[in-house]
Amino acid sequence: MTEAGVLVVDKRAGVTSFDAVALVRRRLGLKRVGHAGTLDPDATGVLPMLLGEATKLMPYLADQDKEYVATLRLGVTTDTGDLSGRVLAESPVPAVDQACVQEACRRFVGRITQIPPMYSAVHHGGRRLYELARKGVEVVREPRDVVIHAIDVQEVALPDVRLRVVCGKGTYLRTLAVDLGAVLGVGAAVGRLARTRVGPFTVADAVSWEALAAEPPPVLWARVRPAESALADWAVLRLDARALARFEHGQSVELAPARTATGALVRVHAADGRLLGVGEVVAGGLTRPVRVLHADRPRTRVRPA
């Protein structure tokens, strides 16, 4: 049995993404576990866990689109951008309706610029911003371009507004709340945040936190998806034995998936279906190795109770 794969976890509120990694390591008896995309401690929802050799796919899964449902509280501004923070200002909320909020959201759809919040995991001078923020230090942050594909206003029940947001990598929902509150002229902060999708993985695919903590390990292993599921929408290249040997030794192969543009990343498989890694299509119809996955050595696994 291979140890490479993806276990999709539904993180509960009040635990960190690192806590989730530690629990998966303990329950599955693995050392190599990583997650694709940090969730705030107060946030819930989809947190894909990559196991064994599948950890090599973390950056590719983290780059994929994400979907959130966020409930914003209008009329309040905090130092963290959510309701867990210190209140900086409060203001009365006018009788805005769903059409008004949807119109305000339009300016945030597309490629926009965000300034990362101080309470974030961004590095500055070798320190995390949240470490500096906890010491009362605020530093200048460089604006970052992010992409928001869609914002749908699902409900307006003042002072709360519920949004569904589909966005690209690096988008801060707390920053979106602050910026939207500024446009509405009343301030806003995130009250609840749930991530409902990361790439191909939805909350319906996820193991609940309670199941992760309590189910027998064999039951959890049965929920582990193959590593290639993290790259479900990618073009596929299958190699025969000769080409396979070249790819696994870091050499380009004289093959590429049909109608695949130069520079595109593709999933590379052996003829028997085994995932070999990630390749990049280069000029001349070649595919060069970018990330090679090595099969886990078979061994007897002692699963913890």
Side-chain angles (χ1 to χ4, degrees), residues 35-37 57-66 168-170 198:
H35 66 76
L57 304 180
M58 285 171 59
Y60 308 111
L61 181 55
D63 276 348
Q64 297 182 44
D65 290 344
K66 300 171 179 66
K169 177 184 179 181
V198 174

Side-chain angles (χ1 to χ4, degrees), residues 1-5 29-30 32 51-54 221 224 296 299 301:
M1 180 186 295
T2 180
E3 291 181 346
L30 293 178
R32 295 179 63 196
L51 315 176
E53 281 287 285
W221 276 106
V224 174
D296 292 309
R299 66 182 178 88
R301 179 186 299 118

Side-chain angles (χ1 to χ4, degrees), residues 63-68 102 105-106 108-112 146-152 164-169 171 176 197:
D63 276 348
Q64 297 182 44
D65 290 344
K66 300 171 179 66
E67 188 171 327
Y68 297 86
Q102 189 72 65
C105 288
R106 287 180 57 186
F108 298 105
V109 177
R111 185 171 295 277
I112 66 170
V146 299
V147 175
I148 297 180
H149 300 291
I151 304 176
D152 298 321
R164 169 185 167 270
V165 181
V166 181
C167 57
K169 177 184 179 181
T171 304
L176 175 63
R197 181 175 64 84

